[in-house]
Amino acid sequence: MSSDKCNRLFRVRKTVHKMLAARGYLVSAKELERDAESFAEDFGEEPRRENLTIMAPKRDDPSENIFVFFPDEEKVGVKTIKDLAKRMKEENVYRAIIVVQASLTPFAKQSLLECQTQKFCIEQFQETELLVNIVDHVLVPEHILLSDEEKRTLLERYKVKDTQLPRIQMHDPIARYYGMRRGQVVRIIRPSETAGRYVTYRLCV
């Protein structure tokens, strides 16, 4: 029987892998289908968070990678942020997700903002937000991020400006799940009793 910590980290990491796949990163079938047993076999009954680090390449541009870090301390401090940013710089990776157990210290938050000015995009999620995969919920319709090219085609076809589209806030849980940036457009496909499917678009603001 796996420990609570092991089970918790298994669930969090599985959600992260699904989230990366949904964002267009290459994730192995082994990780997407992994069960708690194989997780415990690979990482032990008391997994060390530093061993859970993930690095995944973008499907359509293998030179673009993302890191996912699982810092060990409960409240992440400045030193950890600096160490992670240093590792990103060394490996030429400009995007990362930090999965924290509780929170960041005020100084660590400040340090994160400083990283943004150096072109690093570091998102932060709490473990509790990732225990359950929100897009697996029956009420959440399918979301597909449009490329810049697809966005242009859409706006030309409907002769609208992106600001005329309905909006989704950047801090919305779904927008965060897909790592949406301001100005990106997402296609939302809902089942419809009359039309079979009902498609809408939203602009991230």
Side-chain angles (χ1 to χ4, degrees), residues 1-3 5-7 9-10 13 34-48 52:
M1 180 65 194
S2 302
S3 68
K5 177 185 175 186
C6 182
N7 197 30
L9 287 171
F10 157 69
R13 199 164 179 269
R34 188 192 274 286
D35 58 17
E37 227 166 277
S38 90
F39 179 83
E41 274 168 28
D42 285 357
F43 297 103
E45 290 296 334
E46 289 293 317
R48 295 178 56 144
L52 302 179

Side-chain angles (χ1 to χ4, degrees), residues 22-109:
R23 291 181 180 199
Y25 289 93
L26 275 175
V27 177
S28 69
K30 177 190 173 185
E31 289 297 358
L32 293 173
E33 291 155 17
R34 188 192 274 286
D35 58 17
E37 227 166 277
S38 90
F39 179 83
E41 274 168 28
D42 285 357
F43 297 103
E45 290 296 334
E46 289 293 317
R48 295 178 56 144
R49 283 179 167 80
E50 65 195 39
N51 295 340
L52 302 179
T53 303
I54 299 165
M55 182 161 134
K58 204 77 194 243
R59 210 174 290 131
D60 52 9
D61 180 4
S63 67
E64 196 188 314
N65 291 299
I66 189 168
F67 264 126
V68 185
F69 298 113
F70 297 80
D72 213 27
E73 68 265 66
E74 195 122 337
K75 221 173 172 189
V76 175
V78 173
K79 184 182 181 309
T80 300
I81 300 291
K82 291 211 159 121
D83 288 347
L84 300 183
K86 182 169 175 276
R87 181 167 173 191
M88 289 171 74
K89 209 174 213 158
E90 283 165 1
E91 304 206 24
N92 230 348
V93 176
Y94 289 92
R95 213 178 167 106
I97 293 170
I98 297 180
V99 180
V100 299
Q101 297 174 57
S103 59
L104 299 175
T105 65
F107 289 118
K109 283 184 185 156

Side-chain angles (χ1 to χ4, degrees), residues 136-151:
D136 285 348
H137 194 284
V138 59
L139 294 177
V140 175
E142 186 183 356
H143 286 64
I144 300 165
L145 273 187
L146 300 192
S147 66
D148 293 344
E149 187 56 44
E150 290 167 327
K151 174 183 168 181

Side-chain angles (χ1 to χ4, degrees), residues 82-175:
K82 291 211 159 121
D83 288 347
L84 300 183
K86 182 169 175 276
R87 181 167 173 191
M88 289 171 74
K89 209 174 213 158
E90 283 165 1
E91 304 206 24
N92 230 348
V93 176
Y94 289 92
R95 213 178 167 106
I97 293 170
I98 297 180
V99 180
V100 299
Q101 297 174 57
S103 59
L104 299 175
T105 65
F107 289 118
K109 283 184 185 156
Q110 191 53 45
S111 185
L112 259 194
L113 291 173
E114 283 161 20
C115 290
Q116 310 280 23
T117 60
Q118 294 166 22
K119 298 279 183 285
F120 289 107
C121 172
I122 303 178
E123 302 166 62
Q124 176 215 332
F125 283 86
Q126 286 189 323
E127 279 183 11
T128 47
E129 296 179 277
L130 298 168
L131 278 169
V132 174
N133 190 337
I134 54 169
V135 300
D136 285 348
H137 194 284
V138 59
L139 294 177
V140 175
E142 186 183 356
H143 286 64
I144 300 165
L145 273 187
L146 300 192
S147 66
D148 293 344
E149 187 56 44
E150 290 167 327
K151 174 183 168 181
R152 241 192 325 275
T153 309
L154 172 80
L155 298 178
E156 281 168 12
R157 188 190 319 147
Y158 293 109
K159 307 215 172 349
V160 291
K161 293 194 179 76
D162 59 3
T163 48
Q164 293 171 285
L165 295 172
R167 296 168 176 205
I168 182 168
Q169 298 289 331
M170 207 159 106
H171 303 299
D172 181 281
I174 291 282

